[in-house]
Amino acid sequence: MGVADEPKKPWDGRFTEATDAFVEAFTASVTFDHVLAPYDIAGSIAHATMLEKVGIITGNEFKQIKSGLEVISKEIESGDFNWSVSLEDVHMNIEHALTRQIGEIGKTLHTGRSRNDQVATDIRLYLRDQIDQICIKIRQLQSGILNLAQAHTETIMPGLTHLQVAQPIVLGHHLMAWFEMIDRDHHRLQDCRKRVNILPLGAAALAGTSFPIDREFTAELLGFDGIMDNSLDAVSDRDFAIEFTAAASLLMMHLSRWSEELIIWASSQFGYIELPDRFCTGSSIMPQKKNPDVPELVRGKTGRVFGSLTALLTLMKGQPLAYNKDNQEDKEPVFDTVTTLLQCLTAFADLIPAIIPHKDNMRNAALKGYSTATDLADYLVRKGLVFRDAHAVVGKLVTIGIECGKDLSELSLETLQSRSALIESDVFNVLTLEGSVNARDHPGGTAPAQVARAITRARARISD
Ligand code: ARG
């Protein structure tokens, strides 16, 4: 960050001594809020457009302000702009540069606004943009999930509860569970966007302004859906940032759970999947190691997003109306959350379609854990036994299976009949993995035909 010449403070008129050097650095935000520059400039151009429309500035003044801001925008983009800590924040840096660029006219830009409504506008514009980027990444990830799920509507694996083999499912069905979670995240972010996209500008410091501004016009210029109705609320509200980090926390919680699962699945003990080499790292000492670093890091980064949510909630909980300097602390948690989310979604959108399922290992695992025991109990119910008794019969048969090291489907008909005379030779259709998954043939169930239909419905949902 370059250092500009020592500028005067806008509040110098009221003060008799210069700001303490430590206080200047301590209270400055430009080291991080310079990220808001494109939004600050867009907001200023819209504000100036409105000032001209209502006759507060002339057409000529507007033209000079606009072209001055455009020059500054290019300087910032190319890295030629000198940010000054003594100008505190992105807003005062840009305004100061404008006055240097176009002279006294630059000073008219701040008419009818304050940094309080300006900064609230900037963060909303920034967050609206970032939510759109995040939602694009979510859709990429979802389409990757759908493609993988489509290729595995018949790949059988054990479904787990308590991390123990429970019932057979198909991999496509399992993947679609993640699709649904991520889809809810998309909904939540879209919903949050509605409350982000309302204009605070015009609230000025806190009470509104004595100038005849046209807030609806500014809102329209900036693509906001409306204006905030109360000026005190407009400058002090950060609910939208908290909502965003809350939605982000849920999304990260999903990615973290999924990461944990991928790490387990890729272990030699499970061996359900292989992660592509380009997503893994090795060990500097153990030649055999292939570590699932990317999902591990996603799981790890979840903590910082939860931390940001806690930071923002705590930031707001003690603040009386209206704006307080505390609010300057809203930016870093929001920025960090955005960066983390975009990185983790990029990693997952790339990783998920590239995972290589080991179908045989999945199938063998499903064969091992008596995963069709519930199917046998259901079979006995269909033959007339009540479920609790059926449960007990099958429990005994599982014990016999464990004793002789055989799956239920490998027990002889006589052995099966020794526990219930209701069992006939048609039982073996029920005891196969295919029979089990095909039987769960209703919307939301794991039957391959149902999973294929769920994927078709999901494709339509994400193409809206
Ligand atoms: N840098 C400040 C922030 O991020 C801008 C608003 C400053 N307003 C004030 N009254 N000091 O919140």
Side-chain angles (χ1 to χ4, degrees):
M1 184 164 301
V3 179
D5 52 300
E6 242 351 276
K8 285 175 72 143
K9 302 270 191 272
W11 51 82
D12 265 3
R14 162 74 175 77
F15 284 60
T16 52
E17 63 173 349
T19 319
D20 179 272
F22 166 76
V23 172
E24 190 163 84
F26 183 66
T27 54
S29 54
V30 68
T31 48
F32 49 85
D33 71 11
H34 62 90
V35 171
L36 296 175
Y39 307 98
D40 195 70
I41 290 175
S44 286
I45 291 177
H47 179 65
T49 310
M50 182 276 292
L51 290 180
E52 190 228 8
K53 179 184 173 248
V54 301
I56 296 173
I57 60 172
T58 65
N60 179 43
E61 286 170 333
F62 167 66
K63 254 191 228 136
Q64 292 196 52
I65 289 174
K66 184 163 183 261
S67 59
L69 286 170
E70 282 165 357
V71 171
I72 293 167
S73 168
K74 290 214 178 74
E75 275 176 23
I76 294 173
E77 251 174 63
S78 60
D80 294 334
F81 191 83
N82 276 331
W83 295 104
S84 162
V85 170
S86 64
L87 281 167
E88 198 178 308
D89 57 25
V90 61
H91 324 291
M92 292 209 287
N93 267 269
I94 291 175
E95 196 189 321
H96 183 260
L98 180 67
T99 307
R100 255 203 333 204
Q101 177 95 15
I102 65 170
E104 290 299 296
I105 292 170
K107 295 182 181 169
T108 61
L109 173 63
H110 212 52
T111 315
R113 75 172 184 189
S114 140
R115 276 185 300 153
N116 297 352
D117 57 347
Q118 188 178 355
V119 69
T121 304
D122 290 5
I123 317 168
R124 284 168 185 269
L125 287 171
Y126 163 86
L127 205 49
R128 184 179 73 186
D129 237 17
Q130 302 307 318
I131 289 176
D132 290 345
Q133 294 309 312
I134 290 164
C135 284
I136 290 171
K137 292 271 176 212
I138 290 181
R139 288 302 194 221
Q140 279 170 8
L141 169 57
Q142 286 184 299
S143 113
I145 300 173
L146 288 178
N147 293 342
L148 189 64
Q150 186 130 36
H152 293 284
T153 55
E154 300 193 357
T155 302
I156 291 181
M157 61 178 290
L160 311 179
T161 60
H162 312 270
L163 209 67
Q164 309 285 324
V165 171
Q167 291 172 347
I169 55 171
V170 294
L171 173 59
H173 193 52
H174 188 103
L175 289 166
M176 289 303 287
W178 294 116
F179 175 95
E180 292 297 336
M181 285 179 246
I182 307 293
D183 203 46
R184 286 196 295 275
D185 294 320
H186 189 272
H187 275 291
R188 263 186 288 272
L189 286 166
Q190 286 299 315
D191 200 52
C192 167
R193 191 190 189 282
K194 292 180 199 156
R195 283 172 293 279
V196 168
N197 203 30
I198 306 179
L199 178 76
L201 208 62
L206 77 161
T209 171
S210 57
F211 292 98
I213 55 169
D214 182 346
R215 297 184 67 207
E216 300 283 357
F217 181 64
T218 315
E220 204 181 304
L221 290 174
L222 290 170
F224 281 104
D225 295 328
I227 60 170
M228 293 191 75
D229 263 336
N230 181 287
S231 62
L232 294 145
D233 182 43
V235 289
S236 68
D237 168 47
R238 295 294 182 272
D239 292 1
F240 67 93
I242 297 175
E243 268 191 62
F244 168 71
T245 44
S249 294
L250 275 165
L251 172 52
M252 286 304 297
M253 179 273 285
H254 291 148
L255 294 186
S256 183
R257 288 182 70 187
W258 200 356
S259 293
E260 172 70 3
E261 190 172 270
L262 293 174
I263 294 160
I264 293 174
W265 283 15
S267 69
S268 54
Q269 292 87 339
F270 265 70
Y272 287 5
I273 55 167
E274 180 84 23
L275 295 176
D277 282 0
R278 67 193 167 90
F279 279 96
C280 299
T281 62
S283 154
S284 56
I285 174 171
M286 298 167 282
Q288 85 286 7
K289 288 302 287 291
K290 179 174 162 183
N291 298 327
D293 284 35
V294 171
E296 283 175 316
L297 210 46
V298 170
R299 189 178 58 188
K301 281 180 184 289
T302 303
R304 59 198 295 158
V305 175
F306 292 4
S308 293
L309 173 60
T310 307
L312 289 177
L313 284 166
T314 314
L315 174 69
M316 296 311 295
K317 77 178 271 294
Q319 285 197 50
L321 285 173
Y323 176 87
N324 299 281
K325 184 72 170 179
D326 314 40
N327 277 355
Q328 184 163 288
E329 286 290 306
D330 64 352
K331 283 160 211 68
E332 287 162 295
V334 170
F335 295 163
D336 192 70
T337 299
V338 165
T339 309
T340 306
L341 234 56
L342 284 170
Q343 285 177 347
C344 294
L345 284 166
T346 300
F348 260 65
D350 205 4
L351 171 67
I352 295 304
I355 62 177
I356 306 142
H358 290 313
K359 292 189 192 184
D360 289 349
N361 290 350
M362 287 185 174
R363 186 178 180 86
N364 289 336
L367 283 171
K368 262 187 224 146
Y370 299 93
S371 64
T372 56
T374 317
D375 297 272
L376 181 53
D378 289 353
Y379 167 91
L380 287 168
V381 170
R382 284 194 296 276
K383 298 269 176 180
L385 211 57
V386 293
F387 187 81
R388 280 292 153 235
D389 293 345
H391 188 289
V393 167
V394 179
K396 284 279 176 253
L397 288 170
V398 167
T399 311
I400 294 172
I402 291 169
E403 273 162 13
C404 59
K406 286 184 173 169
D407 182 54
L408 290 175
S409 61
E410 293 165 336
L411 296 178
S412 68
L413 186 58
E414 296 84 74
T415 310
L416 292 169
Q417 288 172 333
S418 72
R419 289 288 154 186
S420 170
L422 293 170
I423 298 178
E424 293 168 288
S425 61
D426 61 350
V427 73
F428 291 105
N429 297 329
V430 163
L431 294 180
T432 63
L433 298 178
E434 279 72 15
S436 174
V437 292
N438 282 327
R440 283 152 177 84
D441 191 15
H442 52 76
T446 194
Q450 291 292 345
V451 175
R453 262 174 247 156
I455 293 170
T456 307
R457 286 195 301 272
R459 266 197 212 286
R461 257 154 68 192
I462 64 166
S463 62
D464 289 346

